[in-house]
Amino acid sequence: MTEDKFSPYEAMAAEEWPSDLGLWKNLLLGFIANSRLNLAAGIPETPMGELLVKMFARIAKARLEGKPIIMHPFNYGPELFYAMDLEPLMQEVFSVGLAPFHLNEPYIDLANQMGYGDNPTLCNAQRPLIATHLSGDAPKVDLLFYLSAPCNSLATTYQVYQHITGVPTFTMDIPYWSHDPSSPFYDEKTLEYMKAQYRDCIAWLEHQTHRAFDPEKFQMTMRRVNEARENIMEFNDLLKTVPCPVNSMESFSNYLTMVLSGGTQEAVEVTRWFRDYAADHARKGIAGVPGEKLRIAWPYTHTFFDRDLFPWLEQQFQAVVIMDILGFYNIPPHDVSTLEKCFDSLALGTLDFSMIHTCRGPAEFYIEYLLRFIEDYRIDCVIIPMQFACKHAYAVTKIAAEAVRREADIPVLIFGCDPYDSREVPSEEIRGKIEEFITEIVL
Amino acid sequence: MSISETFRQALSLPNPWIREAKEEGKKALGYFCSYIPEEIMTAAGLLPVRMRAPGCTDTPMGDAYMSPTTCGFTRCVLETASEGGYEFLDGVVASNTCDQVRRLYDNIRFKTPFPYHYFLSLPHTQSPTTLEWFAHELVKFKEDLEEHFQVEIGREKLQEAIKAHNHSRALFERLYDLRKREAPVLSGSEVLRFFLGSVTLPVQTFNAWFQKEIEELEAGEGLSKYRARIMLLGSHLDDPRFIELIEGQGGLVVTDSLCFGNRFFRDPVDETAEPISALAERYLYKIPCPRMSGAQAERIRFVMDQIRDFHVDGVIIQRMKFCPMWWGDAFVLRDELKKAGIPCLELEREYLVSGAGAIKTRVQAFLETLEGR
């Protein structure tokens, strides 16, 4: 094979890695192979393949060189960790990364065998962590950081992991209230509370890693976060164009970039690439989905095990999924001219992160996001693939759907499934429900 | 009617005491969690009533709005609310106890509103920073009650309420001491009835009756015919019939880690400190339920101490179906108990007691194992 940009990573993987990085190495090689296959098939290249490959390589390098690795959940921007020269590892990359190939399912089965939860009770985004750890297939980490939101399921699995590994852990409490003075749910201490917790967190990190917090490096990191946020906000605005200038997968890329690389120059460049790509298409009137007929809001996560679902929707119905709930990264740039303002921005970014903003507080946070989204993006229908184990989201969808029908007068489909396990509700059944909904009700 | 029999009436909602209090013009406030300080409601002259759904038999609305995979407790409460079962309440107070209660509160507000709603953002971790936040939340709660119910909750009223509720706690402490005996004075199901009384009756009424009852129990004979001493742990449990299923087989419940149990009454509020700070401190640092992150070691230590102090032969963990937090804790506890050589049985249950036959069979087998040791 000729040399390409992935060759150095492949060479790195050819070396001997610690046994707990075996699965990690397979993921790295899998993503390299996938990127090459896409190139060979003529699928337009985005920076995402390389971003993911670099992330896998970075973690491996950190592990091999003894750089502290800090595990964190899927709804958190790791900028503080980059600012403190730690290597962040987003845990759910396992469940999300393995799901399209059904390679997470053996770990779900193993969790069942170990007696750790079941599908309708504990979310399979985190549950396999216990199985991968106990079977020696999860990378060893030095520190753990997690939030109390958006769900108990996440906090429960991380808490169990904390106990069985003894890894030093910091948990950040996410308050219920809004930081926005115009909200009826505003509490004037919300932001201060978050900042106080960040001060505790930094003291904890300094103690654990024996590394001093560097205010200048932190400010530089937050300026990069701002630049990326600016790109994403412009991208989000461009998606309001009819037809939508990108396909159903692209908005997820910005979220993934920020959760994996937020605060790095790489994130600035990747988000800029997507903004420029969307702007170019919008300017030229190129549709992400040729002949766009339907614009769909998908206010929950992708069904990760079925990566062909959105392309199927596009081909079958000329329907574009504008954004899923994670892709809805809607954090404007903040004033970061002083250190104190940088902390404001860090705290606000945590409270408003994808799925945290919409799901941490009262039902109104979710409903208002959905209604606003429907209006701003000229949505024709809403599809909510509800995960059985997602208590906070499942128990709000019915009142949210009523609000959508009442306020926006468009149809809503809610169905139960497990986005991580193809065996619960298989692709065919999901497609059947969607097809029936679109043909019988929407069109 | 004996006091024990009187307490049985506390099970229903509303019960004669609530009706009596309402007839006297008292307002009643429903609340959801043992992390919500009753003292502030008592100090406001309100009757705090812990939310339960004792008469619920089916949950079509609960299933539709909460989803069929949320816990039976939240579905039953929504159902009861939709049927007008809480019309005796003048309001409801919830907290982010868990996602399911948080969303139950939303569904109540949207579908079956009460005259008054309030929500407390309760921290999930214990630290000076979160304590300060929680104290701030309690101040807001106090001020909101004052404004809505047009009452003044001064320092003295709070101190009085703290004393009254601390007295309840001290009485429960005495009751639990009596359960340490070789012949414990009371079955676990009867003890649960006292807790149900304590979260339903005006605190002074409850204390007066409870004190008499304890004095009688202290003088009386204990229960000596049992096969094993059981510690019961787990999710929200407000139905004595479930414990009767265990005790009917000869497993006497002598202690627990339940929110209608140890987690409710242990750790009095400091009566000498500024009242709101003292309440915040007590409620945030009380025996932690699994909703509190990073407190697993403390929970395990508490369970082990109870096993030692109450001479427990075996542990039964009851998990309400679809409760993620208790599944996490059960997973860890099972392992810790195994390491300590303590037999453990895990039962999954619905909020509404069902599958009695299967539960009895499993308990029977568990007791045989304990006897065979």
Side-chain angles (χ1 to χ4, degrees):
Chain A
M1 183 175 284
T2 53
E3 291 283 309
D4 64 13
K5 61 186 171 189
F6 297 115
S7 300
Y9 305 108
E10 214 164 27
M12 191 183 162
E15 290 168 22
E16 194 173 331
W17 288 14
S19 61
D20 61 290
L21 290 178
L23 185 58
W24 200 252
K25 185 188 274 190
N26 288 340
L27 276 164
L28 169 66
L29 293 171
F31 274 91
I32 290 174
N34 193 53
S35 298
R36 283 184 177 144
L37 280 174
N38 284 348
L39 280 173
I43 295 170
E45 192 185 7
T46 77
M48 287 317 290
E50 196 174 355
L51 181 125
L52 285 163
V53 166
K54 278 184 184 169
M55 183 270 300
F56 286 116
R58 231 178 16 236
I59 298 285
K61 189 164 181 282
R63 177 87 169 79
L64 294 166
E65 293 176 355
K67 183 178 178 183
I69 298 174
I70 183 163
M71 187 188 277
H72 68 90
F74 73 101
N75 43 23
Y76 184 72
E79 41 265 25
L80 177 65
F81 306 143
Y82 282 117
M84 290 193 72
D85 204 22
L86 305 170
E87 198 56 58
L89 187 161
M90 192 263 271
Q91 185 279 133
E92 289 80 357
V93 81
F94 266 110
S95 38
V96 172
L98 294 172
F101 315 103
H102 309 289
L103 293 173
N104 60 329
E105 289 168 8
Y107 293 103
I108 292 173
D109 295 342
L110 195 53
N112 289 338
Q113 284 164 27
M114 289 170 173
Y116 185 60
D118 60 12
N119 169 43
T121 307
L122 281 159
C123 175
N124 278 333
Q126 289 85 29
R127 196 162 71 101
L129 169 65
I130 303 305
T132 48
H133 169 73
L134 291 175
S135 59
D137 289 339
K140 287 182 182 141
V141 299
D142 303 283
L143 300 165
L144 172 64
F145 172 96
Y146 67 93
L147 312 172
S148 64
C151 63
N152 298 142
S153 182
L154 178 151
T156 295
T157 297
Y158 279 106
Q159 192 173 186
V160 169
Y161 180 81
Q162 173 185 358
H163 180 78
I164 61 179
T165 60
V167 167
T169 302
F170 189 92
T171 310
M172 187 164 280
D173 180 53
I174 298 296
Y176 178 83
W177 304 114
S178 173
H179 57 75
D180 176 1
S182 69
S183 166
F185 298 98
Y186 173 65
D187 181 290
E188 77 279 7
K189 286 197 188 291
T190 299
L191 189 57
E192 284 309 314
Y193 179 46
M194 290 298 293
K195 284 164 67 179
Q197 288 191 85
Y198 266 118
R199 281 191 284 275
D200 295 344
C201 179
I202 287 168
W204 174 80
L205 286 170
E206 287 185 319
H207 174 73
Q208 293 294 336
T209 63
H210 308 292
R211 287 162 190 235
F213 173 71
D214 178 346
E216 277 183 30
K217 196 169 178 191
F218 174 60
Q219 277 188 276
M220 190 177 69
T221 306
M222 292 311 295
R223 279 198 290 273
R224 286 195 195 122
V225 170
N226 249 6
E227 262 190 80
R229 285 176 182 166
E230 209 164 305
N231 293 335
I232 295 174
M233 293 303 281
E234 285 179 40
F235 173 90
N236 289 351
D237 265 352
L238 286 161
L239 266 56
K240 292 172 185 168
T241 315
V242 179
C244 180
V246 299
N247 68 28
S248 305
M249 293 301 291
E250 310 298 17
S251 60
F252 189 73
S253 304
N254 281 326
Y255 151 75
L256 206 51
T257 304
M258 294 310 279
V259 81
L260 296 176
S261 300
T264 65
Q265 189 56 35
E266 185 184 30
V268 175
E269 282 158 20
V270 171
T271 52
R272 186 186 299 133
W273 187 95
F274 278 103
R275 182 206 57 190
D276 291 348
Y277 175 78
D280 183 52
H281 276 210
R283 198 167 44 246
K284 293 172 181 163
I286 299 171
V289 175
E292 176 187 299
K293 283 185 187 161
L294 273 181
R295 297 167 69 85
I296 299 175
W298 193 276
Y300 197 64
T301 67
H302 289 205
T303 47
F304 293 109
F305 72 80
D306 186 355
R307 61 178 175 170
D308 296 326
L309 182 64
F310 286 0
W312 170 80
L313 265 168
E314 292 174 351
Q315 284 161 21
Q316 194 82 2
F317 303 106
Q318 288 75 55
V320 59
V321 175
I322 302 288
M323 232 179 256
D324 74 305
I325 198 168
L326 290 173
F328 186 71
Y329 181 97
N330 190 44
I331 309 172
H334 301 119
D335 178 359
V336 289
S337 56
T338 66
L339 183 62
E340 194 59 24
K341 287 182 192 301
C342 284
F343 274 106
D344 284 353
S345 180
L346 181 68
L348 290 167
T350 305
L351 289 170
D352 290 343
F353 204 83
S354 301
M355 212 164 167
I356 295 289
H357 167 68
T358 47
C359 299
R360 69 182 168 84
E364 283 85 344
F365 287 9
Y366 183 82
I367 294 169
E368 281 164 16
Y369 135 72
L370 185 52
L371 291 175
R372 180 80 186 268
F373 187 84
I374 288 166
E375 188 181 340
D376 286 352
Y377 290 87
R378 296 192 247 178
I379 295 296
D380 301 301
C381 67
V382 180
I383 298 179
I384 316 180
M386 266 324 309
Q387 182 175 8
F388 294 121
C390 197
K391 313 300 176 194
H392 68 90
Y394 216 153
V396 81
T397 48
K398 179 86 174 163
I399 48 177
E402 286 179 351
V404 168
R405 291 185 191 113
R406 189 176 58 243
E407 307 283 330
D409 194 25
I410 61 169
V412 181
L413 170 68
I414 303 168
F415 60 90
C417 68
D418 183 347
Y420 304 93
D421 192 341
S422 64
R423 300 161 301 179
E424 285 290 337
V425 181
S427 294
E428 301 73 36
E429 198 177 323
I430 291 175
R431 287 169 202 219
K433 285 176 203 280
I434 293 175
E435 186 165 11
E436 189 181 357
F437 170 70
I438 292 180
T439 53
E440 301 294 323
I441 297 170
V442 181
L443 295 176
Chain B
M1 194 187 287
S2 74
I3 294 175
S4 285
E5 282 165 350
T6 306
F7 272 109
R8 282 173 188 264
Q9 294 187 53
L11 250 66
S12 59
L13 282 179
N15 56 38
W17 300 278
I18 295 174
R19 286 198 195 96
E20 198 179 306
K22 295 287 292 181
E23 277 163 20
E24 288 167 5
K26 210 172 176 101
K27 307 271 188 195
L29 209 51
Y31 72 102
F32 275 105
C33 175
S34 65
Y35 277 93
I36 297 174
E38 291 174 297
E39 287 88 341
I40 298 178
M41 294 178 271
T42 300
L46 304 165
L47 174 62
V49 178
R50 182 78 185 261
M51 292 297 278
R52 296 182 285 117
C56 185
T57 53
D58 198 11
T59 58
M61 176 159 175
D63 294 355
Y65 281 87
M66 293 297 298
S67 98
T69 54
T70 53
C71 78
F73 168 67
T74 53
R75 282 181 283 133
C76 285
V77 170
L78 186 63
E79 199 67 39
T80 305
S82 74
E83 290 166 355
Y86 300 120
E87 275 174 3
F88 63 96
L89 290 175
D90 298 282
V92 69
V93 184
S95 68
N96 44 350
T97 299
C98 66
D99 294 335
Q100 305 180 71
V101 165
R102 176 163 64 97
R103 288 304 184 216
L104 167 62
Y105 176 72
D106 284 328
N107 277 285
I108 283 176
R109 284 189 301 123
F110 276 73
K111 302 307 295 182
T112 63
F114 286 62
Y116 173 75
H117 304 111
Y118 197 81
F119 193 92
L120 281 158
S121 178
L122 166 67
H124 292 81
T125 56
Q126 299 164 323
S127 75
T129 302
T130 58
L131 179 64
E132 194 181 327
W133 168 265
F134 191 42
H136 160 70
E137 282 291 290
L138 295 187
V139 169
K140 283 197 306 178
F141 179 39
K142 178 184 90 78
E143 289 172 353
D144 206 69
L145 287 179
E146 287 179 321
E147 191 184 331
H148 182 84
F149 292 101
Q150 291 296 295
V151 291
E152 198 185 325
I153 310 173
R155 187 186 173 109
E156 277 182 20
K157 283 185 182 169
L158 276 170
Q159 283 171 331
E160 272 173 37
I162 287 170
K163 269 189 188 154
H165 286 280
N166 268 352
H167 185 46
S168 299
R169 293 184 181 110
L171 291 171
F172 274 114
E173 188 102 35
R174 273 170 70 182
L175 178 67
Y176 270 57
D177 279 345
L178 298 175
R179 302 175 82 189
K180 287 178 183 167
R181 292 178 180 176
E182 198 175 335
V185 297
L186 213 58
S187 68
S189 54
E190 289 297 325
V191 171
L192 177 55
R193 288 191 172 89
F194 286 120
F195 281 108
L196 296 177
S198 81
V199 294
T200 311
L201 272 60
V203 63
Q204 307 288 8
T205 311
F206 173 76
N207 285 348
W209 287 352
F210 193 30
Q211 177 141 1
K212 275 189 206 161
E213 180 75 16
I214 286 178
E215 282 160 9
E216 279 177 27
L217 288 167
E218 280 172 335
E221 281 186 24
L223 306 165
S224 53
K225 288 183 183 171
Y226 56 84
R227 296 168 67 185
R229 298 168 71 91
I230 301 294
M231 178 173 186
L232 185 63
L233 318 175
S235 316
H236 177 110
L237 173 65
D238 63 23
D239 192 340
R241 287 174 302 173
F242 180 81
I243 301 180
E244 282 165 3
L245 289 176
I246 297 169
E247 297 189 322
Q249 306 306 305
L252 185 66
V253 174
V254 292
T255 189
D256 60 79
S257 179
L258 297 170
C259 61
F260 289 100
N262 266 308
R263 291 203 304 275
F264 174 77
F265 77 88
R266 295 280 174 197
D267 311 315
V269 181
D270 181 354
E271 293 178 17
T272 62
E274 190 282 316
I276 292 289
S277 304
L279 286 168
E281 175 104 20
R282 187 269 166 185
Y283 279 87
L284 193 65
Y285 284 94
K286 77 189 183 81
I287 301 163
C289 117
R291 75 170 297 285
M292 300 301 284
S293 287
Q296 207 123 36
E298 197 183 336
R299 285 195 288 277
I300 292 164
R301 198 166 43 245
F302 174 75
V303 170
M304 295 301 179
D305 288 350
Q306 291 288 300
I307 289 169
R308 184 195 59 223
D309 295 347
F310 287 79
H311 314 291
V312 168
D313 299 309
V315 170
I316 296 180
I317 303 174
Q318 53 81 23
R319 273 189 297 103
M320 200 186 301
K321 203 169 179 182
F322 306 130
C323 175
M325 296 187 298
W326 266 103
W327 204 322
D329 242 47
F331 180 75
V332 169
L333 272 168
R334 255 185 346 234
D335 192 43
E336 295 292 336
L337 291 167
K338 193 176 171 185
K339 280 188 218 159
I342 297 155
C344 169
L345 170 68
E346 192 172 336
L347 296 171
E348 185 172 71
R349 68 173 178 89
E350 290 283 1
Y351 174 66
L352 303 169
V353 174
S354 60
I359 292 171
K360 280 183 190 172
T361 305
R362 294 196 61 200
V363 170
Q364 180 74 19
F366 182 58
L367 293 175
E368 280 167 19
T369 310
L370 295 181
E371 285 171 329
R373 280 162 62 88

